Amino acid sequence: MTTIEIMHRAKAAAPALARADSETKNNALLSMADRLEEACDAILAANALDVAASRSHISEVMLDRLTLTKQRIYDMAEGVRQVAKLPDPVGQVRRQVDRPNGLVIRRVGVPLGVVAIIYESRPNVTSDAAALAIKSGNACILRGGKEAHQSAAAITKAMQDGLRDAHLQPELVQLVEDTTRQSAAELMSGVGYIDLLIPRGGAGLIRSCVENARVPCIQTGTGICHIFVDETADLEKACSILENAKTSRPSVCNAAEVCLVHKKIAAQFLPMLYDKLVTARQAQGIIPVELRLDQAAASIIPGTLAGNDDFDTEFLDYILAVAVVDDVDHAITHIAAHSTGHSEAILTADENNAALFTRAVDSAAVYVNASTRFTDGGEFGLGCEMGISTQKLHARGPMGLEELTSYKYVIEGNGQIR
C-alpha cells in the first residue's frame, strides 16, 4: 500500500474514532495489549531479523535500543494498559465561563484527527504512539526506520488485531511500508490528511521535518542535557546521579551529555567522578565513560581534551563532556549557549541557587537534585509519550494525551442575540 493510500484510509477512519466514547477506546486498548502479549513470539522473531541485519551497521548502544525481549514486549503491553486507565481528554471541559447575558461558554477537548510520527530504531515507540493516539481519539500513521521495520510491522499487526477485536477499524493504526525518504516527504506534504507530524529521532530527522514539513510539525528533542554540580552539592549523591544520567541508558535523549562543575569543588569532585565513571566501571568489566574535558577539568583528571563541537553534541554513547564553571550564573550562561532545550539539572543544597536555576534555564524540564533520566511520559504520569517536545507552542516536554488534542468552544444559549 502506498503512503498516499495510507493517508486516505486514516483520514476516512478518524471521524468514527473521534465520536467513540471512553469505554470503547479503553476496550480497544486492552484488546491491543492482549494481542501484543499473544504475538510475543512473532514479534521476537521479526525483531531478531532486524537485529541481525543491523548488527554490523550500528553501535552497541543503538543495538540495545533496537533489541526486544519478552519482558520488553510485556512492558509495552502494560504501557498500553496504563494509557487505558488515564482520564480521557476528549470531551473534557477545560474552562467554563458564564457570561452576564446568560451564555455558557465551554472550552472542550477534541482530537486533532490524524497524527503521523516518523521515528527511528525504537520498536516500543510503535505501541506507545498507537496507544496514545487511540485514547486521544486520533488515527495514527507510523513511519519507522528501516532498522526496525520488521519489528514495527509485527507490533502493528498485533495492535490492528486488537482493534478488530474491539470492533474498530484497523486503519486507525497503520505502518508506512516504504522506509525511503520518499515516504517521509509524502507525510511532510500531506496537507489535508495529516493534522500533526511528530519526528522522533536524531538531529538530522528532526531538522528535515522542521525545515520541510508543510503540515503542522512538533519539534521534538535531541537532548544535549546538562547537569550542574554546584559548590554546595552532596558530592556522593552527585556522583550517583551522574552515573545514572549518563550510563543507565546512554542511547536515549534524556541521558546527560554535559557535566558542569563549580570551580570551588572541582579539585575534590572531579577525581570522585573519574573513579565512579571510569575506574570503577573498568574494574567491573563494563564500558567506562570517555570524559571530554575542557582545559580546567583536564588539569585535574585524565581524559580527552574537548574539541570545538563536544559541548554541542548529543553523543548517545558512553561519552560525557565536562567543564568547570565559575558559579551558577556561568552555568546558566553555558546552558543557554549549548542546550537543545530538553532537560537540565542543578545539584545543590542552596535554595536560592536552585530557584535561580529553575527560573533562568529555558528548557522543557528543569531538575533540582535528580537525574535527567526522569524526563519520560511514564515517569511523569502520562502513561507513555509520543515524543518530547523542545518547542514552546502547543506542547512542551513529554507529549501525552492532552498534547494530542486541541479544543473547541461550545456555547449554550437561550435565544440570545447580539
Side-chain angles (χ1 to χ4, degrees):
M1 192 186 307
T2 68
T3 306
I4 299 298
E5 289 171 333
I6 286 172
M7 288 193 286
H8 275 278
R9 293 188 178 201
K11 182 76 171 179
L17 182 63
R19 294 192 295 269
D21 60 21
S22 297
E23 183 179 2
T24 299
K25 293 185 290 187
N26 290 340
N27 286 339
L29 290 170
L30 295 176
S31 295
M32 291 161 66
D34 290 343
R35 285 289 193 164
L36 279 171
E37 291 180 347
E38 291 169 11
C40 184
D41 289 344
I43 294 169
L44 287 174
N47 183 247
L49 296 175
D50 286 332
V51 171
S54 299
R55 190 171 296 279
S56 61
H57 304 295
I58 61 178
S59 68
E60 285 298 316
V61 291
M62 298 305 287
L63 202 64
D64 176 64
R65 292 177 71 162
L66 174 60
T67 302
L68 290 175
T69 62
K70 182 176 181 178
Q71 186 58 52
R72 286 185 178 181
I73 293 169
Y74 274 67
D75 288 344
M76 288 160 53
E78 182 57 28
V80 175
R81 294 188 181 103
Q82 290 301 318
V83 172
K85 295 178 182 178
L86 295 172
D88 190 344
V90 178
Q92 196 176 76
V93 177
R94 301 180 182 177
R95 182 185 179 194
Q96 178 172 319
V97 178
D98 298 327
R99 298 294 296 152
N101 62 5
L103 288 178
V104 178
I105 303 172
R106 297 184 180 92
R107 183 187 290 177
V108 181
V110 297
L112 293 169
V114 178
V115 175
I117 177 167
I118 302 176
Y119 58 107
E120 294 177 340
S121 59
R122 293 185 69 184
N124 65 296
V125 174
T126 307
S127 61
D128 288 354
L132 289 169
I134 295 299
K135 182 65 180 254
S136 58
N138 296 292
C140 181
I141 298 175
L142 304 156
R143 193 277 191 186
K146 62 181 180 181
E147 295 86 359
H149 186 71
Q150 303 281 353
S151 307
I155 294 166
T156 301
K157 181 184 182 304
M159 293 188 299
Q160 288 177 331
D161 289 342
L163 288 169
R164 288 190 187 94
D165 292 342
H167 308 292
L168 290 176
Q169 295 167 272
E171 291 81 8
L172 290 168
V173 175
Q174 297 180 82
L175 179 70
V176 173
E177 297 171 13
D178 177 11
T179 59
T180 69
R181 292 182 179 179
Q182 177 63 27
S183 64
E186 288 170 342
L187 291 176
M188 291 180 208
S189 59
V191 177
Y193 297 98
I194 305 299
D195 295 287
L196 181 67
L197 175 64
I198 303 171
R200 182 169 174 174
L205 167 63
I206 294 165
R207 183 171 58 251
S208 176
C209 287
V210 170
E211 293 176 355
N212 299 309
R214 294 174 55 211
V215 298
C217 178
I218 289 286
Q219 183 169 341
T220 60
T222 49
I224 301 179
C225 302
H226 297 74
I227 294 182
F228 167 52
V229 185
D230 195 17
E231 63 177 315
T232 61
D234 181 316
L235 301 190
E236 292 291 344
K237 285 183 180 178
C239 283
S240 176
I241 288 170
L242 274 154
E243 180 185 37
N244 174 264
K246 179 71 264 183
T247 69
S248 61
R249 204 162 184 194
S251 62
V252 295
C253 61
N254 57 21
E257 304 290 18
V258 179
C259 174
L260 305 175
V261 181
H262 196 294
K263 66 180 182 182
K264 290 185 178 179
I265 58 160
Q268 180 183 0
F269 177 70
L270 286 176
M272 294 172 62
L273 185 67
Y274 184 88
D275 286 344
K276 190 78 166 179
L277 298 186
V278 182
T279 306
R281 292 177 66 85
Q282 287 174 332
Q284 296 171 58
I286 53 179
I287 300 173
V289 175
E290 179 187 346
L291 301 177
R292 305 270 178 95
L293 310 172
D294 75 348
Q295 292 284 356
S299 69
I300 300 171
I301 56 172
T304 305
L305 196 62
N308 292 333
D309 298 328
D310 282 327
F311 291 97
D312 296 294
T313 299
E314 185 184 31
F315 298 114
L316 302 175
D317 206 341
Y318 291 99
I319 302 171
L320 182 69
V322 181
V324 176
V325 295
D326 293 339
D327 52 27
V328 64
D329 288 302
H330 188 188
I332 292 166
T333 300
H334 180 103
I335 291 168
H338 299 279
S339 172
T340 52
H342 193 293
S343 301
E344 330 294 348
I346 181 173
L347 311 183
T348 186
D350 188 318
E351 293 183 0
N352 291 328
N353 282 355
L356 173 61
F357 190 88
T358 56
R359 283 198 312 271
V361 170
D362 188 18
S363 293
V366 184
Y367 293 82
V368 178
N369 295 324
S371 169
T372 56
R373 287 281 286 111
F374 287 102
T375 307
D376 173 85
E379 295 293 341
F380 279 21
L382 305 178
C384 51
E385 75 199 27
M386 188 67 88
I388 296 174
S389 170
T390 55
Q391 65 182 39
K392 300 180 186 180
L393 294 178
H394 168 61
R396 197 177 198 194
M399 293 181 62
L401 294 173
E402 186 172 334
E403 289 75 25
L404 295 177
T405 61
S406 183
Y407 55 83
K408 62 184 173 186
Y409 286 97
V410 177
I411 304 96
E412 293 184 10
N414 186 27
Q416 287 91 337
I417 61 174
R418 182 175 177 179

